[in-house]
Amino acid sequence: MTTFKLDTKLADHLEQEIYEKLTSAVELGAKEYNGEWKAREARGEKFETYEKIVGYGRRETRKVCYHNAPRLEFMNVTFAQSEPEYKGQKTHTDYYRPLSCTVNYEACKANAKAQRNHSVGLLESRINGHLAVTDVVYDTNLELGKANLIVGNVTGHTKDNEDFQIHTQMMWNYRYGANSANGYLTQYVQFRSDRRGARQEGKTVLQRLTELEKQAKADAKKAEAVAKNEAKWERFRVLPDQIDRWATREIKKHEKMLTETGIEKAKEEFFNHYYNKGRAFDLEHHNTWVNRELTEVKTYKERVQKFLNNEPAVREVFGLECNTRDDFKYVVWKS
C-alpha cells in the first residue's frame, strides 16, 4: 500500500511561516500587556476589574485573574507576591497582579508545529482519499504557488498498469485575535482536488489508514486492560487452594446436617420461626436439598484437583474474561 506523504520542505515552509506570524502577534501582545501593567502600577493599583452581569441584570465588579489565562499561553509572566496582612503570614503568588512578561518562543514553536501537522495531515488525507490500496505512486510534483498555495499533482498507476493523476491545490489563510483558536493566530486550509485518468477502484488508502488507526487504538486499549488485569494474578493463582478448602468445609457441614444431631438442629431452627408454629417439619425435603448441595460441593472438590499445584493450568484460564473467584468456579464446574 502506497501512502502519500507531503515533502518535508513544503511542510517546513508552512511551519516557519506560522511560527513567524505567531511570534509577531505574541510579541505585540506582550508589549501591550507590559504597557498596561506598568501603567496600573504607576497608578498605585494592585489589580484590574471588570463588570459581570449576574442574576436579574445586576452588575457585579470582579477582579481580573491571570492564572492560566489563555492569552498568556505563549508568555513567561512574572507575578507579584502577596503582601502579608499580619506578622508571620506566608506570601503566595498574586495572580491578580502580573508585573511583566516575555515571549515564550519554545511554546510558540510547539504550537506552530502542531498547526503545521494539522494542515499537512488534512492535505495528506485528501490525497490518500483519491488513492486505492492497490495503486502505486511513482511521481509527486507539488510546489509552492503564489499567495499561500501549494499546487501540483500526484501521478501513479493502478494494479492493471493504467495511469492516473491527482490534481490538487491547498490554499491557506489565518484567523487572528479573538477569531483564532489560541487568541493570536491559527491557520486554516481549503482544498481543491480531483483524480483524472484511471478510476479509483476498491478501498482507498485513507479508509485503510483509518482502519489501521482504529485497530491500533483497540490493540493499545486491550494491552492496557491486559496490563491492569495482571495485577489480579496474585489473588487469582491461589483460588484452587481456596476453593478446595471451601469445598472440604462445605462437605463436612452438609454431611453433619444429615446426621441425627443435624436433623434435630434443623428442626429446632424450623420451629423457632413464628410462621412455622403448628406446621410439620418435612424431613424428606430437608434431606433432598442437603444431598443436592452436598453433591454440588463434592463435584467442585473433585474437579478442582486438576488445578491444585498446577500453576500452568491456572494461568491458562486466567485472562480478561476469567479473573474473579466466580469466573474460576464456573471454569472448574465446566471442566
Side-chain angles (χ1 to χ4, degrees):
M1 182 178 71
T2 303
T3 305
F4 170 77
K5 290 289 183 182
L6 183 65
D7 182 79
T8 304
K9 290 183 180 179
L10 294 176
D12 289 344
H13 172 83
L14 282 178
E15 181 178 342
Q16 185 61 29
E17 181 178 299
I18 296 169
Y19 175 73
E20 291 174 359
K21 290 180 177 292
L22 178 60
T23 52
S24 295
V26 176
E27 286 170 352
L28 180 60
K31 184 178 180 180
E32 292 175 352
Y33 274 130
N34 283 327
E36 293 172 3
W37 297 340
K38 186 176 180 180
R40 184 201 63 222
E41 291 295 312
R43 295 193 301 269
E45 299 173 358
K46 298 179 181 178
F47 55 84
E48 299 151 34
T49 61
Y50 67 98
E51 295 288 328
K52 182 177 179 62
I53 297 178
V54 292
Y56 301 103
R58 183 170 56 87
R59 291 181 176 274
E60 189 175 274
T61 301
R62 298 187 177 183
K63 294 194 294 184
V64 178
C65 180
Y66 287 93
H67 182 55
N68 290 333
R71 280 180 56 82
L72 299 182
E73 175 185 356
F74 305 111
M75 298 181 190
N76 300 312
V77 184
T78 301
F79 291 93
Q81 290 295 306
S82 63
E83 299 176 358
E85 298 177 1
Y86 55 84
K87 186 177 180 180
Q89 183 186 24
K90 293 183 178 180
T91 61
H92 59 270
T93 303
D94 189 350
Y95 290 110
Y96 296 106
R97 192 182 178 188
L99 299 177
S100 64
C101 63
T102 58
V103 177
N104 185 336
Y105 290 99
E106 288 301 315
C108 292
K109 187 174 182 179
N111 185 267
K113 182 176 287 293
Q115 290 195 52
R116 159 252 179 102
N117 291 341
H118 177 70
S119 297
V120 169
L122 290 174
L123 174 60
E124 291 175 346
S125 65
R126 185 78 177 215
I127 294 178
N128 284 323
H130 290 295
L131 288 173
V133 173
T134 54
D135 288 340
V136 176
V137 173
Y138 58 78
D139 185 47
T140 300
N141 180 25
L142 294 178
E143 59 185 15
L144 287 171
K146 295 181 180 179
N148 298 351
L149 182 69
I150 290 178
V151 63
N153 50 66
V154 176
T155 307
H157 60 74
T158 66
K159 62 179 180 179
D160 298 323
N161 210 32
E162 295 177 327
D163 288 333
F164 66 86
Q165 199 168 65
I166 300 169
H167 294 253
T168 187
Q169 289 184 349
M170 183 180 96
M171 300 149 281
W172 67 89
N173 215 322
Y174 296 92
R175 293 188 175 92
Y176 297 89
N179 293 322
S180 66
N182 58 27
Y184 290 99
L185 173 142
T186 48
Q187 185 184 76
Y188 68 94
V189 292
Q190 295 175 299
F191 301 95
R192 292 176 185 168
S193 63
D194 65 277
R195 175 169 169 146
R196 303 172 189 177
R199 293 180 60 185
Q200 178 264 317
E201 298 288 346
K203 190 168 291 187
T204 68
V205 172
L206 180 60
Q207 289 172 320
R208 178 59 59 81
L209 290 174
T210 302
E211 290 173 353
L212 292 174
E213 183 181 359
K214 287 182 178 178
Q215 186 60 49
K217 288 181 179 178
D219 291 344
K221 187 175 182 179
K222 184 176 180 180
E224 183 181 357
V226 169
K228 288 182 178 179
N229 195 53
E230 282 301 308
K232 302 178 181 179
W233 167 246
E234 289 303 317
R235 295 194 300 272
F236 190 88
R237 62 193 292 270
V238 298
L239 287 178
D241 183 59
Q242 289 181 359
I243 291 175
D244 181 63
R245 287 186 282 111
W246 163 79
T248 300
R249 291 194 304 270
E250 290 296 305
I251 290 171
K252 291 179 179 179
K253 171 185 170 183
H254 285 78
E255 286 179 342
K256 187 176 180 180
M257 292 172 68
L258 294 173
T259 64
E260 290 186 10
T261 304
I263 293 173
E264 288 302 318
K265 183 178 179 181
K267 287 181 178 179
E268 182 181 346
E269 291 178 350
F270 178 82
F271 290 118
N272 278 341
H273 293 292
Y274 70 92
Y275 47 79
N276 286 329
K277 299 296 184 182
R279 298 176 62 185
F281 177 77
D282 191 338
L283 179 60
E284 183 180 353
H285 176 265
H286 171 80
N287 290 336
T288 299
W289 75 261
V290 172
N291 276 303
R292 183 174 61 246
E293 293 195 1
L294 180 60
T295 301
E296 182 178 312
V297 292
K298 282 183 176 180
T299 303
Y300 275 116
K301 177 74 174 178
E302 176 189 347
R303 295 180 181 180
V304 82
Q305 298 306 307
K306 68 183 70 175
F307 296 101
L308 282 173
N309 302 315
N310 188 359
E311 189 166 300
V314 181
R315 185 76 202 192
E316 186 177 347
V317 301
F318 175 70
L320 294 176
E321 302 300 323
C322 181
N323 54 29
T324 67
R325 180 187 176 94
D326 287 343
D327 295 337
F328 184 66
K329 282 183 68 177
Y330 179 79
V331 170
V332 171
W333 183 260
K334 290 293 183 179
S335 64

